[in-house]
């Protein structure tokens, strides 16, 4: 196991030879603990309405330049069928925090998917109320994704303005989700303005402490219609303390996450693939990641789901993307995962890597 000093040292490391050792170690842990399979999760962005006003995200409530949409259940079920046709094991329904997506409506949708397919259902619908999370679990939802974004509470409060009358923080909700029996995913952004090396090291140890089933970490990408994209002084740190939002830093976080949480599912994120279209996806898969989430959102809506600019999927034809992925996995000698690809072993009983 790696201790805090070692993690901090790796986060500061710039020597390419030593970094190659770190990446090789993460790749070996990945192979030993979760195997060679790459799991595919079809992502459907079902609504871009959002009540929240996060300082980093293009879907924030105050961004009136966004054309808002909400998909119908028929449109969503078409995407679900597409996931089945392509042999994916999981469908991920993602949205902003949109109360127009009513509790019962989502529950019915989940029931329909579970009754008609063998897909695992992952929800990623924001900070909804515990009663709603319970109703969706009851309806058959398997997993829930909710990123805590940064473990630095002071920074978090600055970039994620609290809504009134909320009884739970994201970290509190993650606990509730776990107690409800969901497989729980979370994660952070890498290189958020105001994120220090110390805070990022804390994020990594918090992943481990929370026993997360899925952990996603991608680089922060500034969006021009957000406070963090417009105002360079919004959250600042002395340059030696600030984590840079670089591709290399994101790989280091993927690799360190794999070493600290050997049994978790770790996606090769779209934000990383957006930074390096040619090799980002592949490199993350070779440095600890074992999951890819291809976007199944219909083209007309996809462009409106602009969390950050120039998202990889904006330019991709879905069939071309699929073919490209299959080619990539073949080149890597990694098989596509069969079945839902859930928690690879019971994390609580999970083994430590011997590496
Ligand atoms: N850059 C990178 N990732 C972002 N997210 C939101 N805004 C950005 C950004 N500007 C990520 C967050 C959030 C998810 C919806 O997308 O991690 O949880
Ligand atoms: Fe809404 Fe999520 Fe974007 Fe925050 S990060 S504004 S909650 S979609």
């Amino acid at each position: 196991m790696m201790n805090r000093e070692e993690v901090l040292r790796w986060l500061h490391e710039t020597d390419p030879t030593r970094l190659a050792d770190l990446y090789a170690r993460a790749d070996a842990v990945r192979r030993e603990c979760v195997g060679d399979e790459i799991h595919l999760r079809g992502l459907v962005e079902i609504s871009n309405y959002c009540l929240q006003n996060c300082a980093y995200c293009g879907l924030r409530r105050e961004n009136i330049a966004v054309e808002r949409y909400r998909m119908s259940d028929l449109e969503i079920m078409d995407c679900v069928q597409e996931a089945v046709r392509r042999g994916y094991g999981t469908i991920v329904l993602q949205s902003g925090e949109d109360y127009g997506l009513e509790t019962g409506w989502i529950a019915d949708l989940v029931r329909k998917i579970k009754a008609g397919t063998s897909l695992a259902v992952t929800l990623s619908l924001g900070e909804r109320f515990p009663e709603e999370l319970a109703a969706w679990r009851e309806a058959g939802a398997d997993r829930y994704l909710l990123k805590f974004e940064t473990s630095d509470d002071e920074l978090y409060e600055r970039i994620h303005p609290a809504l009134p009358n909320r009884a739970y923080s994201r970290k509190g909700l993650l606990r509730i989700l776990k107690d409800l029996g969901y497989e729980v995913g979370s994660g952070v952004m890498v290189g958020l303005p105001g994120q220090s090396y110390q805070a990022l090291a804390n994020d990594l140890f918090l992943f481990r402490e929370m026993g997360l089933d899925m952990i996603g970490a991608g680089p922060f990408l500034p969006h021009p219609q957000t406070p963090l994209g417009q105002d360079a002084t919004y959250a600042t740190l002395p340059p030696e303390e600030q984590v840079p939002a670089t591709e290399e830093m994101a790989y280091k976080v993927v690799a360190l996450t794999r070493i600290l949480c050997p049994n978790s599912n770790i996606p090769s994120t779209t934000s990383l693939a957006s930074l390096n279209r040619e090799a980002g996806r592949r490199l993350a898969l070779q440095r600890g990641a074992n999951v890819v989430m291809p976007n199944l959102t219909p083209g007309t809506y996809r462009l409106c789901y602009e969390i950050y600019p120039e998202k990889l999927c904006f330019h991709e034809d879905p069939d071309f993307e699929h073919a490209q992925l299959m080619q990539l996995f073949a080149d890597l000698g990694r098989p596509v995962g069969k079945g839902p690809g859930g928690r690879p072993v019971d994390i609580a009983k999970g083994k430590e890597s011997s590496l």
Side-chain angles (χ1 to χ4, degrees):
M1 240 297 282
M2 233 184 237
N3 64 31
R4 215 189 136 77
E5 285 65 48
E6 288 173 287
V7 166
L8 276 166
R9 214 174 319 124
W10 281 120
L11 291 175
H12 282 99
E13 184 61 68
T14 54
D15 179 74
T17 319
R18 279 201 291 268
L19 284 175
D21 287 345
L22 175 72
Y23 298 147
R25 178 170 163 195
D27 198 43
V29 172
R30 188 269 309 149
R31 180 169 309 121
E32 186 195 5
C33 296
V34 297
D36 274 340
E37 289 189 341
I38 297 172
H39 298 286
L40 291 169
R41 329 278 203 208
L43 175 68
V44 192
E45 294 152 333
I46 63 175
S47 160
N48 70 350
Y49 283 89
C50 190
L51 188 66
Q52 297 278 1
N53 214 22
C54 304
Y56 45 88
C57 174
L59 300 187
R60 66 201 303 272
R61 175 180 82 224
E62 281 175 18
N63 184 8
I64 52 168
V66 179
E67 195 182 328
R68 305 285 170 167
Y69 71 86
R70 191 177 289 129
M71 288 173 70
S72 71
D73 50 355
L74 286 178
E75 288 173 316
I76 297 170
M77 289 310 288
D78 278 347
C79 299
V80 168
Q81 289 314 327
E82 182 60 26
V84 171
R85 266 196 296 279
R86 291 196 195 170
Y88 297 170
T90 300
I91 191 88
V92 183
L93 306 181
Q94 188 159 76
S95 70
E97 201 170 305
D98 175 15
Y99 292 88
L101 300 173
E102 287 164 7
T103 321
W105 187 85
I106 292 286
D108 285 345
L109 187 63
V110 170
R111 266 187 226 102
K112 227 182 314 179
I113 299 172
K114 294 305 288 187
T117 74
S118 53
L119 294 173
V121 174
T122 302
L123 299 177
S124 179
L125 309 176
E127 298 166 43
R128 303 286 298 241
F129 292 90
E131 306 80 73
E132 307 187 276
L133 302 172
W136 299 335
R137 175 77 188 127
E138 189 106 328
D142 302 278
R143 312 187 183 127
Y144 204 96
L145 302 178
L146 185 67
K147 296 195 175 180
F148 63 78
E149 313 295 5
T150 172
S151 58
D152 176 342
D153 291 335
E154 202 251 323
L155 175 60
Y156 180 72
E157 278 159 33
R158 227 172 331 142
I159 60 173
H160 185 89
L163 295 176
N165 303 319
R166 290 298 175 99
Y168 299 98
S169 65
R170 285 199 177 194
K171 286 184 208 159
L173 285 172
L174 288 166
R175 170 108 308 272
I176 290 172
L177 286 161
K178 223 173 192 351
D179 291 344
L180 287 169
Y182 281 98
E183 283 184 42
V184 177
S186 194
V188 298
M189 281 175 282
V190 177
L192 263 172
Q195 183 184 49
S196 68
Y197 285 92
Q198 297 285 346
L200 184 53
N202 291 344
D203 295 349
L204 285 158
F205 283 98
L206 188 58
F207 293 159
R208 188 180 163 85
E209 197 183 302
M210 290 177 124
L212 296 169
D213 302 298
M214 299 154 294
I215 304 162
F220 165 72
L221 301 168
H223 187 303
Q225 266 131 12
T226 62
L228 274 182
Q230 280 166 353
D231 179 2
T233 62
Y234 192 90
T236 50
L237 280 177
E240 68 279 9
E241 285 175 37
Q242 172 67 48
V243 172
T246 56
E247 198 186 334
E248 181 168 273
M249 190 58 73
Y251 296 133
K252 286 194 222 177
V253 171
V254 168
L256 291 167
T257 301
R258 172 58 67 202
I259 291 166
L260 289 169
C261 309
N263 300 300
S264 296
N265 281 318
I266 300 177
S268 170
T269 57
T270 305
S271 50
L272 190 42
S274 302
L275 259 193
N276 179 351
R277 283 166 198 279
E278 193 264 317
R281 205 162 238 173
R282 171 174 60 81
L283 290 171
L285 289 168
Q286 292 176 306
R287 296 169 174 182
N290 68 325
V291 168
V292 174
M293 297 169 66
N295 195 314
L296 293 176
T297 312
T300 43
Y301 298 135
R302 211 181 263 217
L303 291 172
C304 301
Y305 208 86
E306 199 190 38
I307 297 173
Y308 47 80
E310 293 296 310
K311 241 168 83 183
L312 174 78
C313 60
F314 287 175
H315 307 279
E316 300 285 288
D317 167 72
D319 292 323
F320 176 71
E321 186 197 21
H322 185 71
Q324 236 183 0
L325 274 180
M326 294 304 117
Q327 184 60 51
L328 170 62
F329 299 171
D331 293 347
L332 293 173
R334 307 261 296 268
V336 174
K338 296 208 173 46
R343 179 187 297 154
V345 289
D346 186 335
I347 300 246
K349 299 190 209 101
K351 55 179 174 173
E352 275 298 327
S353 166
S354 55
L355 297 162

